[in-house]
Every structure is written in C-alpha cells, then in structure tokens.
Amino acid sequence: MASTFSFDIVSEFDRQELVNAVDQTKRDVGSRYDLKDTKTEIDLNEDAIVINTDSEFTLDAVHNLLQLKSSKRNLSLKIFDYGKVESASGSRVRQEIKLKKGISQEIAKQITKIIRDEFKKAQGSIQGDAVRVSAKSKDDLQAVMQRMKQEDFPVALQFTNYR
C-alpha cells in the first residue's frame, strides 16, 4: 500500500467534444430561420474560435448556441475567453474567442495557499500548469477536492491522476 496518495488539479477540456459542439453550432446556424442568410462563419483553430457574422445581434445568437451546445457536451463555459468585437469588411463583425487551457501561476498560488491554510495534513505543489496535491489519507484528498469545487476560480478545474 502506498504511503501517500495524490491527485492533480488541472484545467483542460476535451478537444473532440469542442469540435462536435462547434459543428453542431454551425449546423444550427445554417438551419435556423433568423440566422440562415447571415453568412456566418465559425472557424475553430488550435487555440481559438473565430466568429464572423453580419451584426452584433447575430453574434449574440451564435454565442448562445455555442454555449448551449458546449454545456450539453459537458464543457465548462469558463474555457471561453471572449475577445472584443471588431469591425470586419462590409459592415460585418468579427470576434475571436480564445480557449483557456492550463492553470496560470497566480491561480496555482491561490490554490496552494488555500490548501496550506485550511488543510494541515495535505500538501500542494505547483507542477507547470497543474497543481499536485498529496496527503497520507484519501479522506484529506477528498476534503481538498470538495473545497476546490466550492471556490469559484476563473478557469475550469478537473481532478486527474488520483492514486
């Protein structure tokens, strides 16, 4: 039996689920009566989604569709970092939505501070863009997980490598 148990706190998303959500959004935009003739383009890049459409009204409708399809596929809406709306050619609007992945150093420091202050038997260490939490008891790790779920961080947190 292992002397210590651990898990990692990460911020990731399932890329294939995001591809499916974007594809469903494209199909819905093409079939919805109010969006059909807007010539809306939704491009999924490696680290961003670019939406090009004819007005801010249709841009909001596309946002709602994208959020709905993403949440149905168990993707957190915190992965989307909406950029500013820019004017494109021909009185169209364009927006880039960056995809957030990984935990920043500031958030990782907040997480380790909470663990250090509230859980005396657990240790948190920053491992690149993840935080490893270790303790001698699985119960302590479960308590840390519950506490992290209560906190509202600006990124989506997942718990992996539980051993």
Side-chain angles (χ1 to χ4, degrees):
M1 188 168 131
S3 60
T4 60
F5 301 99
S6 67
F7 70 89
D8 293 337
I9 301 174
V10 297
S11 179
E12 298 174 345
F13 57 88
D14 187 348
R15 179 83 182 169
Q16 187 58 49
E17 291 295 335
L18 180 67
V19 168
N20 293 341
V22 169
D23 286 345
Q24 283 183 331
T25 303
K26 286 180 186 179
R27 265 187 262 129
D28 277 12
V29 166
S31 65
R32 262 181 53 172
Y33 181 75
D34 58 339
L35 300 174
K36 193 183 296 186
D37 296 328
T38 60
K39 295 184 178 76
T40 300
E41 297 174 12
I42 304 170
D43 296 323
L44 176 62
N45 302 331
E46 192 63 35
D47 58 348
I49 299 171
V50 179
I51 301 172
N52 189 340
T53 188
D54 67 348
S55 69
E56 288 197 36
F57 173 75
T58 56
L59 183 65
D60 286 341
V62 172
H63 281 188
N64 291 339
L65 274 175
L66 181 63
Q67 290 172 357
L68 177 71
K69 299 301 179 188
S70 298
S71 62
K72 281 188 177 179
R73 296 194 155 274
N74 294 328
L75 291 171
S76 173
L77 299 181
K78 292 181 180 181
I79 66 171
F80 299 126
D81 183 18
Y82 296 95
K84 66 184 185 96
V85 178
E86 305 167 350
S87 296
S89 62
S91 73
R92 294 175 63 82
V93 293
R94 178 182 178 278
Q95 184 178 33
E96 184 176 40
I97 304 170
K98 294 204 181 300
L99 301 172
K100 291 193 267 184
K101 198 171 194 177
I103 299 175
S104 69
Q105 287 294 318
E106 297 83 35
I107 296 171
K109 287 178 184 176
Q110 289 176 4
I111 292 171
T112 54
K113 183 178 182 334
I114 290 171
I115 294 169
R116 192 172 50 246
D117 293 346
E118 297 181 19
F119 301 97
K120 301 301 179 206
K121 294 183 178 180
Q123 297 83 34
S125 63
I126 300 172
Q127 313 259 316
D129 60 354
V131 176
R132 170 141 313 149
V133 181
S134 57
K136 291 195 182 294
S137 165
K138 287 185 177 181
D139 294 338
D140 294 334
L141 293 181
Q142 293 290 338
V144 171
M145 282 186 194
Q146 292 303 318
R147 176 65 176 94
M148 291 302 132
K149 288 178 183 175
Q150 293 171 359
E151 198 70 29
D152 186 30
F153 292 105
V155 295
L157 297 180
Q158 292 87 30
F159 307 110
T160 60
N161 293 337
Y162 186 76
R163 40 179 180 277

